Amino acid sequence: MARAQQAPASPIVVTGRGLPETPATPAYDTVEIERNLIASSASGRIEDVLSSVAGFTQFRRSDSRSSNPSAQGVTLRALGGNASSRALVLLDGVPVANPFFGYIPFSALSPERLATVRVTRGGGAGAFGSGAVSGTIELETGGPDTLGPVRGNLLVDQRGETQSSLTLAPRLGQGFAVASVAWDRGKGFWTTPADQRVPASARARYDSLSGALRAVAPLDSLTELQASVLLYDDDRQLRFAGAESSSSGQQASLRLVGRGDWAFDVLGYVQAQDFSNVVISSSSFRKVLDQVKTPSSGYGGKIELRPPVGSRHVLRLGADLRIAEGQLYEEPFSAATGARTAIRRAGGRNSDIGFYLEDDWTIGDLVLTAGARADRWRVADGFYREADAAGVVTIDDSFAERSGWEGNFRGGALWRASEAVALRAAAYTGFRQPTLNELYRPFVVFPVTTLANAELKNERLEGYEIGMELTPREGLSFSVTAFDNRLKDAIANVTLSPTLRQRQNVDAIHARGLEFGTSAQLGSIAFDGSLAWTDSEVEASGVSANLDGRRPAQVPKLMASGTLAWTPRAGWRVAGTLRHVGAQFEDDQETDVLPAATTLDGFVQVPIATGLSFILRGENLLDERIVTRNQSGSIDLGTPRTVWAGLRVGLR
């Protein structure tokens, strides 16, 4: 009897990614940064990579080598005004913002590990959408196909600072692993102008170390397990000797992805972070505040299911959970005597559980999408305690628990009118909880004190946009988006007197603008450009009425970036990036101006042997004066001209 012929086994394809993007993803204003742009950043920092998307801003213009970590909040579309992040930042699906402050630990996110970066400007209602009032930034770790089995960099600049990294991405059976370490250290540059330096002035010294380990393994032909660990430690000195700040963290996640008919994505994560900071008086040059520690933890996860509902529909059903808790311990000191004057503790717990659904419906050349999200939020265990130098309690405040439901929606349409023209439109709402920092922690940037506010309300977004994509020929594309976003109850640092501010909800921040993008590949020459023009203003009444009609602090009207690259042959790359950031105000009263700045960066890679290349990088080659802080004429400066040279190993 003849033996029955056995059906061939299904091939196992391991991607290390989550579920694929849905057909309606292009209905929103989405920009993808490819690997070649990520790997040729002039600074080797992720915030530099993200700056190629116009509209991306941090609270201050400084990069993560020369800024206080707590000022590293990110936002999009000119919806800023304080140091918290209004954009959701995900690393392989996991939110990475500090649970207490909401800042992004940029020094932990090495570009050398990444395959792609996707930036969506505008609110979202999908997974973890409760933090995406201005948009979402998704970072995706690479694997052997994009990184190669061995990749490393070793560079030094003219000040003797070093930047080094090593990434191993071996295939293990039918899966793979990625192990990576990055170490940046240096004496830093002078952030204080020469004519304002005093004997206590110091360079912006930095020392940051991060490591990551990721393993991906198939469980069967359609299911894979992804496990990730991220660790980092960062130490900096800012402006004055002894003004030390440090941040550290550990993060672990486990993800199960199924790509069968009933596709699913199950993710769980836990993170622990800490922050400390010493503030030095700019008059007596004594320590006036020691933020001894700010331990915080975050944990949560998501479950998403995509049931088979027909070839023309992609239905997403999901739930997610985010919990953030933490507290601070700090000690103020007398600027005159150096003696401790008080002991402060504050903290609390925020939680959010969300449920979402979204459906994409493809009708020929038209894709329609609609989604809804319901969130149960809670603010609990809030407290502020202060004792005198002897430990006698003088303030002991406990704040009432608050909770509620928020409902949000988004919808859009994408019409591919022809092979060369695509039209899109979208409308959305969203919300963001105040961070523990905004609720409970006062702070001082001498001589201005900013008070916390435990009664802050959630921020709520309403927005809509229309856009067009033109692709007149292969390798050439243009895009334009017009948007109108209104962030109600926006949290701002409101000036109450010349030396006193408080975090308060203003009526709204209203931002309207245009975003342009272009990409061209003409043989060995490529160009990628982005421009954002935004008219953003505060709507305010009551105690903050004097802000009405003003531009939010730290928000420029115009941002533009363009990168021209030449790759004459495999392994070679010569690129230049021109960026412009318009003038912006340091404060909500529009009194202290940060002038516009235009910078030119450069990158050169020349192969010198198999798997070995010479790298030459230049930051701010024209040595533009970049003012990052201006407080009544006392200013800080950003990165001066910096030239790096070194070697890159890349084996295939």
Side-chain angles (χ1 to χ4, degrees):
M1 180 183 293
R3 297 176 59 184
Q5 192 170 23
Q6 199 169 27
S10 300
I12 294 178
V13 179
V14 176
T15 68
R17 307 177 63 180
L19 294 177
E21 292 304 307
T22 62
T25 298
Y28 302 97
D29 187 8
T30 301
V31 178
E32 187 160 318
I33 307 174
E34 297 179 349
R35 173 65 193 172
N36 59 350
L37 289 175
I38 297 172
S40 57
S41 158
S43 68
R45 317 289 293 190
I46 186 61
E47 61 270 29
D48 183 38
V49 173
L50 293 171
S51 294
S52 65
V53 179
F56 166 85
T57 56
Q58 300 182 77
F59 179 62
R60 297 197 184 278
R61 294 173 173 180
S62 308
D63 70 10
S64 59
R65 294 166 294 190
S66 59
S67 67
N68 189 291
S70 64
Q72 291 176 186
V74 301
T75 192
L76 298 159
R77 289 197 165 164
L79 291 173
N82 66 16
S84 295
S85 293
R86 290 188 168 106
L88 173 67
V89 182
L90 303 172
L91 174 63
D92 298 320
V94 177
V96 298
N98 178 275
F100 188 92
F101 292 91
Y103 69 76
I104 307 303
F106 284 124
S107 59
L109 307 174
S110 172
E112 290 298 318
R113 303 169 187 148
L114 301 179
T116 61
V117 176
R118 184 168 51 250
V119 179
T120 301
R121 294 174 285 200
F128 302 119
S130 58
V133 290
S134 73
T136 304
I137 299 172
E138 300 169 86
L139 313 176
E140 185 178 287
T141 301
D145 291 340
T146 53
L147 304 180
V150 179
R151 185 177 182 86
N153 290 303
L154 179 59
L155 297 102
V156 63
D157 70 7
Q158 80 270 22
R159 294 186 292 270
E161 297 155 356
T162 57
Q163 188 175 91
S164 56
S165 67
L166 177 64
T167 300
L168 305 177
R171 295 190 180 278
L172 302 175
Q174 294 174 313
F176 65 84
V178 178
S180 176
V181 62
W183 186 21
D184 296 355
R185 65 192 303 265
K187 62 182 181 181
F189 56 86
W190 291 101
T191 59
T192 306
D195 60 354
Q196 294 186 8
R197 291 176 200 160
V198 296
S201 296
R203 292 173 177 266
R205 177 185 53 77
Y206 63 96
D207 191 341
S208 62
L209 178 67
S210 72
L213 178 63
R214 190 162 189 258
V216 179
L219 301 184
D220 57 40
S221 62
L222 296 173
T223 310
E224 66 183 55
L225 182 66
Q226 305 168 11
S228 300
V229 176
L230 176 69
L231 306 97
Y232 72 93
D233 189 79
D234 183 290
D235 293 289
R236 308 177 198 177
Q237 177 176 265
L238 303 175
R239 298 196 73 213
F240 299 116
E244 309 279 348
S245 68
S246 69
S247 59
S248 60
Q250 306 84 43
Q251 176 174 298
S253 66
L254 198 62
R255 189 178 197 180
L256 187 66
V257 180
R259 308 180 196 279
D261 291 338
W262 286 80
F264 59 86
D265 188 344
V266 181
L267 169 71
Y269 71 89
V270 60
Q271 54 192 192
Q273 299 188 31
D274 200 0
F275 169 80
S276 66
N277 184 55
V278 174
V279 179
I280 302 295
S281 167
S282 60
S283 56
S284 69
F285 309 111
R286 294 178 183 269
K287 178 171 64 175
V288 292
L289 179 64
D290 187 354
Q291 294 172 258
V292 180
K293 56 184 177 180
T294 317
S296 62
S297 58
Y299 41 97
K302 75 164 186 178
I303 300 174
E304 180 171 312
L305 182 66
R306 298 185 183 180
V309 290
S311 60
R312 295 195 299 170
H313 288 269
V314 176
L315 177 63
R316 302 170 63 195
L317 304 172
D320 57 61
L321 171 70
R322 295 179 70 181
I323 298 174
E325 55 189 17
Q327 58 181 280
L328 67 88
Y329 175 85
E330 64 183 26
E331 300 175 344
F333 292 80
S334 168
T337 66
R340 187 177 70 178
T341 59
I343 301 170
R344 299 174 184 151
R345 289 182 179 273
R349 187 174 192 265
N350 284 356
S351 63
D352 177 272
I353 182 168
F355 306 91
Y356 64 93
L357 63 88
E358 190 165 55
D359 182 57
D360 291 1
W361 183 17
T362 302
I363 312 170
D365 295 323
L366 176 66
V367 181
L368 302 176
T369 181
R373 180 179 172 93
D375 287 86
R376 177 67 176 178
W377 60 269
R378 183 169 176 256
V379 177
D381 303 329
F383 72 93
Y384 178 84
R385 299 189 185 101
E386 186 169 321
D388 61 20
V392 178
V393 175
T394 56
I395 302 174
D396 189 356
D397 291 333
S398 295
F399 304 107
E401 176 182 319
R402 293 182 289 142
S403 61
W405 283 93
E406 292 274 359
N408 290 288
F409 309 89
R410 74 172 180 177
L414 172 68
W415 178 40
R416 302 192 184 279
S418 69
E419 292 185 359
V421 179
L423 305 176
R424 52 185 168 80
Y428 36 78
T429 65
F431 91 105
R432 180 184 77 90
Q433 279 186 276
T435 63
L436 299 173
N437 177 55
E438 292 169 314
L439 290 167
Y440 308 122
R441 173 186 168 262
F443 70 95
V444 178
V445 178
F446 187 84
V448 179
T449 298
T450 301
L451 303 176
N453 185 350
E455 300 302 318
L456 289 171
K457 295 182 287 187
N458 294 335
E459 296 180 337
R460 295 171 295 120
L461 175 78
E462 294 178 353
Y464 57 89
E465 62 191 59
I466 57 173
M468 179 172 58
E469 311 284 339
L470 300 177
T471 311
R473 49 162 288 184
E474 185 178 357
L476 182 62
S477 65
F478 304 92
S479 68
V480 59
T481 302
F483 69 89
D484 188 311
N485 285 186
R486 190 167 183 264
L487 187 65
K488 297 181 179 179
D489 294 321
I491 299 170
N493 298 333
V494 176
T495 298
L496 305 178
S497 73
T499 60
L500 184 64
R501 297 174 185 164
Q502 185 183 35
R503 299 185 183 97
Q504 294 186 0
N505 295 103
V506 298
D507 294 343
I509 293 176
H510 193 184
R512 292 160 289 194
L514 296 170
E515 295 162 342
F516 300 89
T518 183
S519 178
Q521 182 74 52
L522 306 173
S524 61
I525 297 175
F527 177 78
D528 290 274
S530 181
L531 183 147
W533 176 87
T534 311
D535 179 21
S536 182
E537 66 178 27
V538 177
E539 298 175 359
S541 58
V543 68
S544 57
N546 68 331
L547 301 183
D548 192 55
R550 297 186 187 274
R551 191 168 183 80
Q554 305 289 340
V555 171
K557 277 191 174 183
L558 181 66
M559 300 184 70
S561 175
T563 298
L564 183 65
W566 177 47
T567 53
R569 62 188 71 175
W572 289 71
R573 185 174 175 85
V574 179
T577 298
L578 188 68
R579 289 199 182 99
H580 176 80
V581 179
Q584 59 197 69
F585 292 104
E586 170 75 24
D587 62 328
D588 62 340
Q589 300 298 304
E590 299 186 347
T591 55
D592 296 321
V593 177
L594 306 180
T598 302
T599 60
L600 176 65
D601 294 342
F603 178 88
V604 177
Q605 176 174 302
V606 179
I608 55 178
T610 301
L612 183 66
S613 299
F614 172 73
I615 300 293
L616 186 66
R617 302 190 321 210
E619 301 179 63
N620 191 11
L621 290 171
L622 302 180
D623 205 23
E624 175 83 339
R625 179 182 170 94
I626 307 168
V627 179
T628 62
R629 183 190 66 89
N630 178 8
Q631 204 153 28
S632 302
S634 173
I635 69 174
D636 286 344
L637 300 176
T639 307
R641 181 189 296 117
T642 303
V643 178
W644 297 85
L647 298 175
R648 168 174 290 173
V649 175
L651 301 180
R652 288 288 180 182

